[in-house]
Structures are given as structure tokens and as C-alpha cells.
Amino acid sequence: MRRDEALLDILHEAKHLSHDLPRATWYGFGSYFGGQESFCDIDILVVCPTNADASFVREKTEDICARWPLHLVIMTEDEQEETSFVASEGCRILHPAGSGT
């Protein structure tokens, strides 16, 4: 797997989905984004406003999850606030909410 190819594909998917979900924010975390040379998968977090939006992301990311070894975590904004997942996992923003273009 080429690191740059996988990340570019993920960023393209985030941008594409942001047209329908402009308030979703995409993050990377884990070994892939921590600078380690070796990794098993690419950890991605998508934070969505609602459960319906989270379901939409899950459905629309099936293809990319089949192409790459992704560990996709999808949370609502409320779930993320409750767990402080972004801060506790050291997530790095990949595609901020509102950046659909």
C-alpha cells in the first residue's frame, strides 16, 4: 500500500461527501498519522451532526473501506463531545466541516 495513494483517496472521498454533509469533519489518528513506518490500518474518524448523517457516511464509504485497510469510526457531534475522542486520541483534522469546495 502506498501511503500517499491511500490518503489522497480518503481525502477525495471526504471532499465528495462534504457536498451532501457539509457539517461532517474528518480526522486521522493512530499509527498511520503518528509517523510510524509500520501500520496495519488507517484510522479515520468522521464526526457528523446527527445519527442519520452517520448512517449516510457508513453507507457511502463502503467502497473506500473495501479498497483500503480502513478502521472507520463514525460518531455524532454529541458522542464526540461526551467522549472527547478527538483530544484523547490525538486526532488530526483531514477535512474540516464546511470545506466542501
Side-chain angles (χ1 to χ4, degrees):
M1 161 181 23
R2 291 187 37 203
R3 292 176 75 96
D4 56 340
E5 186 179 356
L7 184 56
L8 287 173
D9 200 18
I10 293 164
L11 292 173
H12 175 77
E13 189 72 16
K15 183 177 180 178
H16 176 74
L17 288 176
S18 71
H19 294 289
D20 292 319
L21 296 174
R23 291 180 40 215
T25 302
W26 292 61
Y27 298 89
F29 65 99
S31 59
Y32 181 91
F33 295 96
Q36 295 179 359
E37 291 296 319
S38 178
F39 56 92
C40 297
D41 59 11
I42 302 169
D43 298 303
I44 300 293
L45 167 67
V46 184
V47 178
C48 301
T50 68
N51 283 324
D53 293 337
S55 293
F56 181 82
V57 169
R58 172 82 50 209
E59 177 186 331
K60 296 298 182 180
T61 56
E62 286 180 5
D63 287 342
I64 196 168
C65 288
R67 283 195 300 274
W68 303 108
L70 293 184
H71 175 217
L72 185 63
V73 177
I74 303 171
M75 301 178 120
T76 64
E77 292 170 352
D78 290 342
E79 290 169 331
Q80 195 297 124
E81 286 180 28
E82 188 176 301
T83 63
S84 299
F85 190 90
V86 170
S88 68
E89 294 298 320
C91 296
R92 298 176 185 205
I93 195 159
L94 299 177
H95 194 275
S99 62
T101 58

mmCIF file with all atom_site columns, all heavy atoms in Angstrom, residues 4-16:
data_model
loop_
_atom_site.group_PDB
_atom_site.id
_atom_site.type_symbol
_atom_site.label_atom_id
_atom_site.label_alt_id
_atom_site.label_comp_id
_atom_site.label_asym_id
_atom_site.label_entity_id
_atom_site.label_seq_id
_atom_site.pdbx_PDB_ins_code
_atom_site.Cartn_x
_atom_site.Cartn_y
_atom_site.Cartn_z
_atom_site.occupancy
_atom_site.B_iso_or_equiv
_atom_site.pdbx_formal_charge
_atom_site.auth_seq_id
_atom_site.auth_comp_id
_atom_site.auth_asym_id
_atom_site.auth_atom_id
_atom_site.pdbx_PDB_model_num
ATOM 1   N N   . ASP A 1 4  ? 0.688   7.665  0.340  1.00 0.00 ? 4  ASP A N   1
ATOM 2   C CA  . ASP A 1 4  ? 0.101   8.855  -0.273 1.00 0.00 ? 4  ASP A CA  1
ATOM 3   C C   . ASP A 1 4  ? -1.137  8.522  -1.097 1.00 0.00 ? 4  ASP A C   1
ATOM 4   O O   . ASP A 1 4  ? -2.098  9.279  -1.114 1.00 0.00 ? 4  ASP A O   1
ATOM 5   C CB  . ASP A 1 4  ? 1.136   9.600  -1.106 1.00 0.00 ? 4  ASP A CB  1
ATOM 6   C CG  . ASP A 1 4  ? 1.790   8.746  -2.184 1.00 0.00 ? 4  ASP A CG  1
ATOM 7   O OD1 . ASP A 1 4  ? 1.753   7.504  -2.085 1.00 0.00 ? 4  ASP A OD1 1
ATOM 8   O OD2 . ASP A 1 4  ? 2.361   9.336  -3.128 1.00 0.00 ? 4  ASP A OD2 1
ATOM 9   N N   . GLU A 1 5  ? -1.141  7.388  -1.748 1.00 0.00 ? 5  GLU A N   1
ATOM 10  C CA  . GLU A 1 5  ? -2.287  6.991  -2.575 1.00 0.00 ? 5  GLU A CA  1
ATOM 11  C C   . GLU A 1 5  ? -3.532  6.779  -1.708 1.00 0.00 ? 5  GLU A C   1
ATOM 12  O O   . GLU A 1 5  ? -4.629  7.230  -2.047 1.00 0.00 ? 5  GLU A O   1
ATOM 13  C CB  . GLU A 1 5  ? -1.951  5.728  -3.352 1.00 0.00 ? 5  GLU A CB  1
ATOM 14  C CG  . GLU A 1 5  ? -3.020  5.322  -4.345 1.00 0.00 ? 5  GLU A CG  1
ATOM 15  C CD  . GLU A 1 5  ? -2.642  4.078  -5.121 1.00 0.00 ? 5  GLU A CD  1
ATOM 16  O OE1 . GLU A 1 5  ? -1.526  3.557  -4.971 1.00 0.00 ? 5  GLU A OE1 1
ATOM 17  O OE2 . GLU A 1 5  ? -3.498  3.616  -5.895 1.00 0.00 ? 5  GLU A OE2 1
ATOM 18  N N   . ALA A 1 6  ? -3.365  6.085  -0.605 1.00 0.00 ? 6  ALA A N   1
ATOM 19  C CA  . ALA A 1 6  ? -4.488  5.838  0.293  1.00 0.00 ? 6  ALA A CA  1
ATOM 20  C C   . ALA A 1 6  ? -5.023  7.147  0.861  1.00 0.00 ? 6  ALA A C   1
ATOM 21  O O   . ALA A 1 6  ? -6.231  7.393  0.860  1.00 0.00 ? 6  ALA A O   1
ATOM 22  C CB  . ALA A 1 6  ? -4.064  4.909  1.431  1.00 0.00 ? 6  ALA A CB  1
ATOM 23  N N   . LEU A 1 7  ? -4.138  8.005  1.335  1.00 0.00 ? 7  LEU A N   1
ATOM 24  C CA  . LEU A 1 7  ? -4.570  9.266  1.934  1.00 0.00 ? 7  LEU A CA  1
ATOM 25  C C   . LEU A 1 7  ? -5.257  10.164 0.910  1.00 0.00 ? 7  LEU A C   1
ATOM 26  O O   . LEU A 1 7  ? -6.294  10.770 1.205  1.00 0.00 ? 7  LEU A O   1
ATOM 27  C CB  . LEU A 1 7  ? -3.385  9.998  2.567  1.00 0.00 ? 7  LEU A CB  1
ATOM 28  C CG  . LEU A 1 7  ? -3.731  11.282 3.313  1.00 0.00 ? 7  LEU A CG  1
ATOM 29  C CD1 . LEU A 1 7  ? -4.780  11.026 4.394  1.00 0.00 ? 7  LEU A CD1 1
ATOM 30  C CD2 . LEU A 1 7  ? -2.486  11.898 3.907  1.00 0.00 ? 7  LEU A CD2 1
ATOM 31  N N   . LEU A 1 8  ? -4.742  10.221 -0.296 1.00 0.00 ? 8  LEU A N   1
ATOM 32  C CA  . LEU A 1 8  ? -5.390  11.030 -1.340 1.00 0.00 ? 8  LEU A CA  1
ATOM 33  C C   . LEU A 1 8  ? -6.787  10.513 -1.661 1.00 0.00 ? 8  LEU A C   1
ATOM 34  O O   . LEU A 1 8  ? -7.717  11.299 -1.871 1.00 0.00 ? 8  LEU A O   1
ATOM 35  C CB  . LEU A 1 8  ? -4.529  11.063 -2.602 1.00 0.00 ? 8  LEU A CB  1
ATOM 36  C CG  . LEU A 1 8  ? -3.271  11.903 -2.517 1.00 0.00 ? 8  LEU A CG  1
ATOM 37  C CD1 . LEU A 1 8  ? -2.422  11.719 -3.766 1.00 0.00 ? 8  LEU A CD1 1
ATOM 38  C CD2 . LEU A 1 8  ? -3.601  13.366 -2.297 1.00 0.00 ? 8  LEU A CD2 1
ATOM 39  N N   . ASP A 1 9  ? -6.945  9.205  -1.683 1.00 0.00 ? 9  ASP A N   1
ATOM 40  C CA  . ASP A 1 9  ? -8.255  8.614  -1.939 1.00 0.00 ? 9  ASP A CA  1
ATOM 41  C C   . ASP A 1 9  ? -9.238  8.949  -0.810 1.00 0.00 ? 9  ASP A C   1
ATOM 42  O O   . ASP A 1 9  ? -10.397 9.291  -1.046 1.00 0.00 ? 9  ASP A O   1
ATOM 43  C CB  . ASP A 1 9  ? -8.110  7.105  -2.108 1.00 0.00 ? 9  ASP A CB  1
ATOM 44  C CG  . ASP A 1 9  ? -9.287  6.467  -2.840 1.00 0.00 ? 9  ASP A CG  1
ATOM 45  O OD1 . ASP A 1 9  ? -10.055 7.182  -3.523 1.00 0.00 ? 9  ASP A OD1 1
ATOM 46  O OD2 . ASP A 1 9  ? -9.433  5.236  -2.734 1.00 0.00 ? 9  ASP A OD2 1
ATOM 47  N N   . ILE A 1 10 ? -8.761  8.882  0.418  1.00 0.00 ? 10 ILE A N   1
ATOM 48  C CA  . ILE A 1 10 ? -9.608  9.216  1.575  1.00 0.00 ? 10 ILE A CA  1
ATOM 49  C C   . ILE A 1 10 ? -10.016 10.688 1.534  1.00 0.00 ? 10 ILE A C   1
ATOM 50  O O   . ILE A 1 10 ? -11.182 11.030 1.749  1.00 0.00 ? 10 ILE A O   1
ATOM 51  C CB  . ILE A 1 10 ? -8.876  8.877  2.888  1.00 0.00 ? 10 ILE A CB  1
ATOM 52  C CG1 . ILE A 1 10 ? -8.709  7.357  3.015  1.00 0.00 ? 10 ILE A CG1 1
ATOM 53  C CG2 . ILE A 1 10 ? -9.613  9.449  4.095  1.00 0.00 ? 10 ILE A CG2 1
ATOM 54  C CD1 . ILE A 1 10 ? -7.682  6.938  4.041  1.00 0.00 ? 10 ILE A CD1 1
ATOM 55  N N   . LEU A 1 11 ? -9.066  11.559 1.246  1.00 0.00 ? 11 LEU A N   1
ATOM 56  C CA  . LEU A 1 11 ? -9.372  12.996 1.169  1.00 0.00 ? 11 LEU A CA  1
ATOM 57  C C   . LEU A 1 11 ? -10.352 13.301 0.042  1.00 0.00 ? 11 LEU A C   1
ATOM 58  O O   . LEU A 1 11 ? -11.244 14.142 0.189  1.00 0.00 ? 11 LEU A O   1
ATOM 59  C CB  . LEU A 1 11 ? -8.082  13.798 0.984  1.00 0.00 ? 11 LEU A CB  1
ATOM 60  C CG  . LEU A 1 11 ? -7.145  13.801 2.183  1.00 0.00 ? 11 LEU A CG  1
ATOM 61  C CD1 . LEU A 1 11 ? -5.822  14.470 1.821  1.00 0.00 ? 11 LEU A CD1 1
ATOM 62  C CD2 . LEU A 1 11 ? -7.782  14.470 3.381  1.00 0.00 ? 11 LEU A CD2 1
ATOM 63  N N   . HIS A 1 12 ? -10.208 12.604 -1.079 1.00 0.00 ? 12 HIS A N   1
ATOM 64  C CA  . HIS A 1 12 ? -11.148 12.772 -2.189 1.00 0.00 ? 12 HIS A CA  1
ATOM 65  C C   . HIS A 1 12 ? -12.565 12.360 -1.760 1.00 0.00 ? 12 HIS A C   1
ATOM 66  O O   . HIS A 1 12 ? -13.542 13.045 -2.062 1.00 0.00 ? 12 HIS A O   1
ATOM 67  C CB  . HIS A 1 12 ? -10.688 11.952 -3.399 1.00 0.00 ? 12 HIS A CB  1
ATOM 68  C CG  . HIS A 1 12 ? -11.655 11.985 -4.525 1.00 0.00 ? 12 HIS A CG  1
ATOM 69  N ND1 . HIS A 1 12 ? -11.777 13.057 -5.378 1.00 0.00 ? 12 HIS A ND1 1
ATOM 70  C CD2 . HIS A 1 12 ? -12.567 11.076 -4.931 1.00 0.00 ? 12 HIS A CD2 1
ATOM 71  C CE1 . HIS A 1 12 ? -12.729 12.816 -6.260 1.00 0.00 ? 12 HIS A CE1 1
ATOM 72  N NE2 . HIS A 1 12 ? -13.221 11.616 -6.010 1.00 0.00 ? 12 HIS A NE2 1
ATOM 73  N N   . GLU A 1 13 ? -12.656 11.243 -1.052 1.00 0.00 ? 13 GLU A N   1
ATOM 74  C CA  . GLU A 1 13 ? -13.963 10.764 -0.569 1.00 0.00 ? 13 GLU A CA  1
ATOM 75  C C   . GLU A 1 13 ? -14.577 11.765 0.411  1.00 0.00 ? 13 GLU A C   1
ATOM 76  O O   . GLU A 1 13 ? -15.777 12.060 0.351  1.00 0.00 ? 13 GLU A O   1
ATOM 77  C CB  . GLU A 1 13 ? -13.810 9.399  0.096  1.00 0.00 ? 13 GLU A CB  1
ATOM 78  C CG  . GLU A 1 13 ? -15.118 8.730  0.436  1.00 0.00 ? 13 GLU A CG  1
ATOM 79  C CD  . GLU A 1 13 ? -15.861 8.233  -0.779 1.00 0.00 ? 13 GLU A CD  1
ATOM 80  O OE1 . GLU A 1 13 ? -15.263 8.115  -1.872 1.00 0.00 ? 13 GLU A OE1 1
ATOM 81  O OE2 . GLU A 1 13 ? -17.067 7.946  -0.639 1.00 0.00 ? 13 GLU A OE2 1
ATOM 82  N N   . ALA A 1 14 ? -13.765 12.304 1.305  1.00 0.00 ? 14 ALA A N   1
ATOM 83  C CA  . ALA A 1 14 ? -14.251 13.293 2.269  1.00 0.00 ? 14 ALA A CA  1
ATOM 84  C C   . ALA A 1 14 ? -14.787 14.528 1.547  1.00 0.00 ? 14 ALA A C   1
ATOM 85  O O   . ALA A 1 14 ? -15.862 15.041 1.879  1.00 0.00 ? 14 ALA A O   1
ATOM 86  C CB  . ALA A 1 14 ? -13.133 13.683 3.231  1.00 0.00 ? 14 ALA A CB  1
ATOM 87  N N   . LYS A 1 15 ? -14.049 14.987 0.571  1.00 0.00 ? 15 LYS A N   1
ATOM 88  C CA  . LYS A 1 15 ? -14.483 16.170 -0.193 1.00 0.00 ? 15 LYS A CA  1
ATOM 89  C C   . LYS A 1 15 ? -15.781 15.884 -0.948 1.00 0.00 ? 15 LYS A C   1
ATOM 90  O O   . LYS A 1 15 ? -16.701 16.693 -0.955 1.00 0.00 ? 15 LYS A O   1
ATOM 91  C CB  . LYS A 1 15 ? -13.386 16.597 -1.153 1.00 0.00 ? 15 LYS A CB  1
ATOM 92  C CG  . LYS A 1 15 ? -13.720 17.853 -1.918 1.00 0.00 ? 15 LYS A CG  1
ATOM 93  C CD  . LYS A 1 15 ? -12.578 18.290 -2.801 1.00 0.00 ? 15 LYS A CD  1
ATOM 94  C CE  . LYS A 1 15 ? -12.964 19.552 -3.534 1.00 0.00 ? 15 LYS A CE  1
ATOM 95  N NZ  . LYS A 1 15 ? -11.878 20.048 -4.385 1.00 0.00 ? 15 LYS A NZ  1
ATOM 96  N N   . HIS A 1 16 ? -15.844 14.711 -1.555 1.00 0.00 ? 16 HIS A N   1
ATOM 97  C CA  . HIS A 1 16 ? -17.050 14.331 -2.306 1.00 0.00 ? 16 HIS A CA  1
ATOM 98  C C   . HIS A 1 16 ? -18.279 14.271 -1.393 1.00 0.00 ? 16 HIS A C   1
ATOM 99  O O   . HIS A 1 16 ? -19.335 14.817 -1.716 1.00 0.00 ? 16 HIS A O   1
ATOM 100 C CB  . HIS A 1 16 ? -16.820 12.978 -2.983 1.00 0.00 ? 16 HIS A CB  1
ATOM 101 C CG  . HIS A 1 16 ? -18.005 12.444 -3.696 1.00 0.00 ? 16 HIS A CG  1
ATOM 102 N ND1 . HIS A 1 16 ? -18.439 12.941 -4.894 1.00 0.00 ? 16 HIS A ND1 1
ATOM 103 C CD2 . HIS A 1 16 ? -18.871 11.463 -3.352 1.00 0.00 ? 16 HIS A CD2 1
ATOM 104 C CE1 . HIS A 1 16 ? -19.527 12.291 -5.270 1.00 0.00 ? 16 HIS A CE1 1
ATOM 105 N NE2 . HIS A 1 16 ? -19.809 11.381 -4.348 1.00 0.00 ? 16 HIS A NE2 1
#
